[in-house]
PDB file of all heavy atoms in Angstrom:
ATOM      1  N   LEU T  67      49.293  63.400  82.987  1.00  0.00           N
ATOM      2  CA  LEU T  67      48.623  64.479  83.640  1.00  0.00           C
ATOM      3  C   LEU T  67      47.808  65.336  82.790  1.00  0.00           C
ATOM      4  O   LEU T  67      46.728  65.795  83.189  1.00  0.00           O
ATOM      5  CB  LEU T  67      49.685  65.285  84.404  1.00  0.00           C
ATOM      6  CG  LEU T  67      50.047  64.758  85.785  1.00  0.00           C
ATOM      7  CD1 LEU T  67      50.954  63.507  85.636  1.00  0.00           C
ATOM      8  CD2 LEU T  67      50.842  65.904  86.553  1.00  0.00           C
ATOM      9  N   MET T  68      48.253  65.482  81.551  1.00  0.00           N
ATOM     10  CA  MET T  68      47.454  66.359  80.545  1.00  0.00           C
ATOM     11  C   MET T  68      46.151  65.646  80.274  1.00  0.00           C
ATOM     12  O   MET T  68      45.264  66.406  80.020  1.00  0.00           O
ATOM     13  CB  MET T  68      48.325  66.577  79.386  1.00  0.00           C
ATOM     14  CG  MET T  68      49.605  67.440  79.559  1.00  0.00           C
ATOM     15  SD  MET T  68      49.122  69.114  80.094  1.00  0.00           S
ATOM     16  CE  MET T  68      48.381  69.719  78.506  1.00  0.00           C
ATOM     17  N   VAL T  69      46.159  64.457  80.116  1.00  0.00           N
ATOM     18  CA  VAL T  69      44.889  63.694  79.845  1.00  0.00           C
ATOM     19  C   VAL T  69      43.893  64.003  80.946  1.00  0.00           C
ATOM     20  O   VAL T  69      42.731  64.247  80.687  1.00  0.00           O
ATOM     21  CB  VAL T  69      45.132  62.147  79.791  1.00  0.00           C
ATOM     22  CG1 VAL T  69      43.790  61.425  79.692  1.00  0.00           C
ATOM     23  CG2 VAL T  69      45.921  61.795  78.524  1.00  0.00           C
ATOM     24  N   ARG T  70      44.336  63.946  82.148  1.00  0.00           N
ATOM     25  CA  ARG T  70      43.422  64.246  83.275  1.00  0.00           C
ATOM     26  C   ARG T  70      42.996  65.731  83.210  1.00  0.00           C
ATOM     27  O   ARG T  70      41.865  66.006  83.453  1.00  0.00           O
ATOM     28  CB  ARG T  70      44.170  64.068  84.651  1.00  0.00           C
ATOM     29  CG  ARG T  70      43.354  64.432  85.873  1.00  0.00           C
ATOM     30  CD  ARG T  70      42.186  63.524  86.097  1.00  0.00           C
ATOM     31  NE  ARG T  70      41.511  63.802  87.291  1.00  0.00           N
ATOM     32  CZ  ARG T  70      40.625  64.866  87.423  1.00  0.00           C
ATOM     33  NH1 ARG T  70      40.260  65.537  86.386  1.00  0.00           N
ATOM     34  NH2 ARG T  70      40.022  64.960  88.605  1.00  0.00           N
ATOM     35  N   GLN T  71      43.879  66.608  83.009  1.00  0.00           N
ATOM     36  CA  GLN T  71      43.540  68.097  82.873  1.00  0.00           C
ATOM     37  C   GLN T  71      42.539  68.358  81.724  1.00  0.00           C
ATOM     38  O   GLN T  71      41.782  69.182  81.897  1.00  0.00           O
ATOM     39  CB  GLN T  71      44.827  68.910  82.838  1.00  0.00           C
ATOM     40  CG  GLN T  71      44.589  70.387  82.979  1.00  0.00           C
ATOM     41  CD  GLN T  71      44.059  70.768  84.406  1.00  0.00           C
ATOM     42  OE1 GLN T  71      44.268  70.045  85.336  1.00  0.00           O
ATOM     43  NE2 GLN T  71      43.321  71.777  84.450  1.00  0.00           N
ATOM     44  N   ALA T  72      42.761  67.656  80.652  1.00  0.00           N
ATOM     45  CA  ALA T  72      42.006  67.972  79.480  1.00  0.00           C
ATOM     46  C   ALA T  72      40.537  67.675  79.629  1.00  0.00           C
ATOM     47  O   ALA T  72      39.640  68.187  78.991  1.00  0.00           O
ATOM     48  CB  ALA T  72      42.565  67.210  78.195  1.00  0.00           C
ATOM     49  N   GLU T  73      40.251  66.740  80.578  1.00  0.00           N
ATOM     50  CA  GLU T  73      38.829  66.360  80.796  1.00  0.00           C
ATOM     51  C   GLU T  73      38.171  67.219  81.811  1.00  0.00           C
ATOM     52  O   GLU T  73      36.971  66.988  82.122  1.00  0.00           O
ATOM     53  CB  GLU T  73      38.815  64.842  81.255  1.00  0.00           C
ATOM     54  CG  GLU T  73      39.442  63.909  80.209  1.00  0.00           C
ATOM     55  CD  GLU T  73      38.575  63.945  78.927  1.00  0.00           C
ATOM     56  OE1 GLU T  73      37.360  64.144  78.973  1.00  0.00           O
ATOM     57  OE2 GLU T  73      39.193  63.704  77.910  1.00  0.00           O
ATOM     58  N   VAL T  74      38.905  68.149  82.419  1.00  0.00           N
ATOM     59  CA  VAL T  74      38.225  69.065  83.434  1.00  0.00           C
ATOM     60  C   VAL T  74      37.288  69.982  82.648  1.00  0.00           C
ATOM     61  O   VAL T  74      37.588  70.681  81.784  1.00  0.00           O
ATOM     62  CB  VAL T  74      39.323  69.901  84.153  1.00  0.00           C
ATOM     63  CG1 VAL T  74      38.669  70.897  85.132  1.00  0.00           C
ATOM     64  CG2 VAL T  74      40.185  68.962  84.990  1.00  0.00           C
ATOM     65  N   PRO T  75      35.974  70.101  83.110  1.00  0.00           N
ATOM     66  CA  PRO T  75      35.012  70.901  82.475  1.00  0.00           C
ATOM     67  C   PRO T  75      35.478  72.369  82.407  1.00  0.00           C
ATOM     68  O   PRO T  75      35.929  72.848  83.418  1.00  0.00           O
ATOM     69  CB  PRO T  75      33.789  70.729  83.232  1.00  0.00           C
ATOM     70  CG  PRO T  75      33.974  69.412  83.978  1.00  0.00           C
ATOM     71  CD  PRO T  75      35.451  69.350  84.276  1.00  0.00           C
ATOM     72  N   GLY T  76      35.287  73.061  81.261  1.00  0.00           N
ATOM     73  CA  GLY T  76      35.681  74.415  81.149  1.00  0.00           C
ATOM     74  C   GLY T  76      34.445  75.253  80.905  1.00  0.00           C
ATOM     75  O   GLY T  76      33.285  74.842  81.038  1.00  0.00           O
ATOM     76  N   PRO T  77      34.674  76.573  80.584  1.00  0.00           N
ATOM     77  CA  PRO T  77      33.571  77.379  80.268  1.00  0.00           C
ATOM     78  C   PRO T  77      32.646  76.875  79.131  1.00  0.00           C
ATOM     79  O   PRO T  77      33.129  76.189  78.300  1.00  0.00           O
ATOM     80  CB  PRO T  77      34.188  78.715  79.832  1.00  0.00           C
ATOM     81  CG  PRO T  77      35.665  78.621  80.437  1.00  0.00           C
ATOM     82  CD  PRO T  77      35.957  77.216  80.398  1.00  0.00           C
ATOM     83  N   ARG T  78      31.380  77.152  79.171  1.00  0.00           N
ATOM     84  CA  ARG T  78      30.471  76.752  78.222  1.00  0.00           C
ATOM     85  C   ARG T  78      30.799  77.263  76.816  1.00  0.00           C
ATOM     86  O   ARG T  78      31.089  78.470  76.712  1.00  0.00           O
ATOM     87  CB  ARG T  78      28.989  77.098  78.624  1.00  0.00           C
ATOM     88  CG  ARG T  78      27.949  76.577  77.651  1.00  0.00           C
ATOM     89  CD  ARG T  78      26.557  77.038  78.104  1.00  0.00           C
ATOM     90  NE  ARG T  78      25.634  76.398  77.174  1.00  0.00           N
ATOM     91  CZ  ARG T  78      25.040  75.207  77.291  1.00  0.00           C
ATOM     92  NH1 ARG T  78      25.503  74.415  78.200  1.00  0.00           N
ATOM     93  NH2 ARG T  78      24.151  74.858  76.444  1.00  0.00           N
ATOM     94  N   ARG T  79      30.855  76.364  75.855  1.00  0.00           N
ATOM     95  CA  ARG T  79      31.243  76.798  74.544  1.00  0.00           C
ATOM     96  C   ARG T  79      30.031  77.653  73.853  1.00  0.00           C
ATOM     97  O   ARG T  79      28.908  77.350  74.065  1.00  0.00           O
ATOM     98  CB  ARG T  79      31.607  75.669  73.589  1.00  0.00           C
ATOM     99  CG  ARG T  79      32.908  74.993  73.992  1.00  0.00           C
ATOM    100  CD  ARG T  79      33.177  73.854  73.096  1.00  0.00           C
ATOM    101  NE  ARG T  79      34.410  73.200  73.482  1.00  0.00           N
ATOM    102  CZ  ARG T  79      34.948  72.160  72.830  1.00  0.00           C
ATOM    103  NH1 ARG T  79      34.207  71.614  71.814  1.00  0.00           N
ATOM    104  NH2 ARG T  79      36.045  71.666  73.149  1.00  0.00           N
ATOM    105  N   PRO T  80      30.354  78.538  72.881  1.00  0.00           N
ATOM    106  CA  PRO T  80      29.374  79.247  72.261  1.00  0.00           C
ATOM    107  C   PRO T  80      28.525  78.253  71.413  1.00  0.00           C
ATOM    108  O   PRO T  80      28.967  77.204  70.975  1.00  0.00           O
ATOM    109  CB  PRO T  80      30.163  80.122  71.277  1.00  0.00           C
ATOM    110  CG  PRO T  80      31.433  80.338  72.004  1.00  0.00           C
ATOM    111  CD  PRO T  80      31.759  79.073  72.700  1.00  0.00           C
ATOM    112  N   ARG T  81      27.275  78.553  71.164  1.00  0.00           N
ATOM    113  CA  ARG T  81      26.352  77.627  70.489  1.00  0.00           C
ATOM    114  C   ARG T  81      26.828  77.341  69.110  1.00  0.00           C
ATOM    115  O   ARG T  81      26.568  76.153  68.684  1.00  0.00           O
ATOM    116  CB  ARG T  81      25.020  78.328  70.441  1.00  0.00           C
ATOM    117  CG  ARG T  81      23.947  77.364  69.949  1.00  0.00           C
ATOM    118  CD  ARG T  81      22.523  77.997  70.019  1.00  0.00           C
ATOM    119  NE  ARG T  81      21.482  77.127  69.603  1.00  0.00           N
ATOM    120  CZ  ARG T  81      20.889  76.248  70.470  1.00  0.00           C
ATOM    121  NH1 ARG T  81      21.291  76.229  71.713  1.00  0.00           N
ATOM    122  NH2 ARG T  81      19.977  75.497  69.983  1.00  0.00           N
ATOM    123  N   ARG T  82      27.550  78.182  68.467  1.00  0.00           N
ATOM    124  CA  ARG T  82      27.966  77.868  67.012  1.00  0.00           C
ATOM    125  C   ARG T  82      28.982  76.725  66.934  1.00  0.00           C
ATOM    126  O   ARG T  82      29.212  76.214  65.855  1.00  0.00           O
ATOM    127  CB  ARG T  82      28.642  79.131  66.417  1.00  0.00           C
ATOM    128  CG  ARG T  82      29.944  79.556  67.122  1.00  0.00           C
ATOM    129  CD  ARG T  82      30.513  80.761  66.358  1.00  0.00           C
ATOM    130  NE  ARG T  82      31.790  81.178  67.020  1.00  0.00           N
ATOM    131  CZ  ARG T  82      31.881  82.129  67.970  1.00  0.00           C
ATOM    132  NH1 ARG T  82      30.774  82.628  68.454  1.00  0.00           N
ATOM    133  NH2 ARG T  82      33.029  82.475  68.469  1.00  0.00           N
ATOM    134  N   TRP T  83      29.578  76.317  68.074  1.00  0.00           N
ATOM    135  CA  TRP T  83      30.530  75.200  68.036  1.00  0.00           C
ATOM    136  C   TRP T  83      29.804  73.842  68.151  1.00  0.00           C
ATOM    137  O   TRP T  83      30.340  72.817  68.007  1.00  0.00           O
ATOM    138  CB  TRP T  83      31.490  75.320  69.175  1.00  0.00           C
ATOM    139  CG  TRP T  83      32.529  76.446  68.938  1.00  0.00           C
ATOM    140  CD1 TRP T  83      32.457  77.631  69.449  1.00  0.00           C
ATOM    141  CD2 TRP T  83      33.693  76.323  68.221  1.00  0.00           C
ATOM    142  NE1 TRP T  83      33.529  78.379  69.110  1.00  0.00           N
ATOM    143  CE2 TRP T  83      34.340  77.668  68.313  1.00  0.00           C
ATOM    144  CE3 TRP T  83      34.314  75.343  67.409  1.00  0.00           C
ATOM    145  CZ2 TRP T  83      35.517  77.947  67.617  1.00  0.00           C
ATOM    146  CZ3 TRP T  83      35.490  75.620  66.803  1.00  0.00           C
ATOM    147  CH2 TRP T  83      36.067  76.975  66.906  1.00  0.00           C
ATOM    148  N   SER T  84      28.493  73.907  68.534  1.00  0.00           N
ATOM    149  CA  SER T  84      27.778  72.664  68.941  1.00  0.00           C
ATOM    150  C   SER T  84      27.683  71.699  67.779  1.00  0.00           C
ATOM    151  O   SER T  84      27.525  70.466  67.969  1.00  0.00           O
ATOM    152  CB  SER T  84      26.418  72.983  69.491  1.00  0.00           C
ATOM    153  OG  SER T  84      25.629  73.716  68.493  1.00  0.00           O
ATOM    154  N   ARG T  85      27.776  72.120  66.474  1.00  0.00           N
ATOM    155  CA  ARG T  85      27.522  71.196  65.374  1.00  0.00           C
ATOM    156  C   ARG T  85      28.900  70.604  64.895  1.00  0.00           C
ATOM    157  O   ARG T  85      28.879  69.750  64.007  1.00  0.00           O
ATOM    158  CB  ARG T  85      26.895  71.936  64.257  1.00  0.00           C
ATOM    159  CG  ARG T  85      25.436  72.330  64.579  1.00  0.00           C
ATOM    160  CD  ARG T  85      24.788  72.984  63.323  1.00  0.00           C
ATOM    161  NE  ARG T  85      23.428  73.336  63.633  1.00  0.00           N
ATOM    162  CZ  ARG T  85      22.632  73.955  62.701  1.00  0.00           C
ATOM    163  NH1 ARG T  85      23.110  74.185  61.463  1.00  0.00           N
ATOM    164  NH2 ARG T  85      21.365  74.230  63.116  1.00  0.00           N
ATOM    165  N   LEU T  86      30.035  71.036  65.480  1.00  0.00           N
ATOM    166  CA  LEU T  86      31.296  70.453  65.068  1.00  0.00           C
ATOM    167  C   LEU T  86      31.404  69.080  65.613  1.00  0.00           C
ATOM    168  O   LEU T  86      30.929  68.759  66.628  1.00  0.00           O
ATOM    169  CB  LEU T  86      32.452  71.316  65.565  1.00  0.00           C
ATOM    170  CG  LEU T  86      32.618  72.726  65.018  1.00  0.00           C
ATOM    171  CD1 LEU T  86      33.714  73.429  65.639  1.00  0.00           C
ATOM    172  CD2 LEU T  86      32.837  72.617  63.494  1.00  0.00           C
ATOM    173  N   PRO T  87      32.087  68.170  64.849  1.00  0.00           N
ATOM    174  CA  PRO T  87      32.308  66.820  65.283  1.00  0.00           C
ATOM    175  C   PRO T  87      33.025  66.793  66.618  1.00  0.00           C
ATOM    176  O   PRO T  87      33.936  67.485  66.853  1.00  0.00           O
ATOM    177  CB  PRO T  87      33.196  66.182  64.183  1.00  0.00           C
ATOM    178  CG  PRO T  87      32.892  67.036  62.953  1.00  0.00           C
ATOM    179  CD  PRO T  87      32.755  68.370  63.481  1.00  0.00           C
ATOM    180  N   ARG T  88      32.492  65.909  67.496  1.00  0.00           N
ATOM    181  CA  ARG T  88      33.146  65.861  68.796  1.00  0.00           C
ATOM    182  C   ARG T  88      34.399  64.962  68.779  1.00  0.00           C
ATOM    183  O   ARG T  88      34.497  64.046  67.941  1.00  0.00           O
ATOM    184  CB  ARG T  88      32.155  65.175  69.843  1.00  0.00           C
ATOM    185  CG  ARG T  88      30.956  65.976  70.107  1.00  0.00           C
ATOM    186  CD  ARG T  88      30.139  65.332  71.133  1.00  0.00           C
ATOM    187  NE  ARG T  88      30.830  65.221  72.355  1.00  0.00           N
ATOM    188  CZ  ARG T  88      30.350  64.600  73.440  1.00  0.00           C
ATOM    189  NH1 ARG T  88      29.170  64.068  73.433  1.00  0.00           N
ATOM    190  NH2 ARG T  88      31.043  64.545  74.594  1.00  0.00           N
ATOM    191  N   ARG T  89      35.419  65.265  69.570  1.00  0.00           N
ATOM    192  CA  ARG T  89      36.635  64.520  69.661  1.00  0.00           C
ATOM    193  C   ARG T  89      36.362  63.156  70.163  1.00  0.00           C
ATOM    194  O   ARG T  89      35.597  62.917  71.143  1.00  0.00           O
ATOM    195  CB  ARG T  89      37.683  65.199  70.515  1.00  0.00           C
ATOM    196  CG  ARG T  89      38.980  64.499  70.677  1.00  0.00           C
ATOM    197  CD  ARG T  89      39.905  65.344  71.489  1.00  0.00           C
ATOM    198  NE  ARG T  89      39.338  65.724  72.747  1.00  0.00           N
ATOM    199  CZ  ARG T  89      39.189  64.890  73.824  1.00  0.00           C
ATOM    200  NH1 ARG T  89      39.724  63.623  73.768  1.00  0.00           N
ATOM    201  NH2 ARG T  89      38.752  65.286  74.866  1.00  0.00           N
ATOM    202  N   PRO T  90      36.935  62.070  69.599  1.00  0.00           N
ATOM    203  CA  PRO T  90      36.764  60.739  70.082  1.00  0.00           C
ATOM    204  C   PRO T  90      37.074  60.699  71.544  1.00  0.00           C
ATOM    205  O   PRO T  90      37.997  61.230  72.030  1.00  0.00           O
ATOM    206  CB  PRO T  90      37.718  59.891  69.261  1.00  0.00           C
ATOM    207  CG  PRO T  90      37.913  60.701  67.960  1.00  0.00           C
ATOM    208  CD  PRO T  90      37.811  62.075  68.420  1.00  0.00           C
TER     209      PRO T  90
END
Side-chain angles (χ1 to χ4, degrees):
L67 273 72
M68 291 297 292
V69 171
R70 174 69 176 83
Q71 188 63 28
E73 298 299 327
V74 176
R78 185 178 180 84
R79 291 180 176 179
R81 188 175 184 83
R82 64 176 179 273
W83 289 97
S84 60
R85 294 185 179 180
L86 292 178
R88 296 184 61 185
R89 178 177 53 80

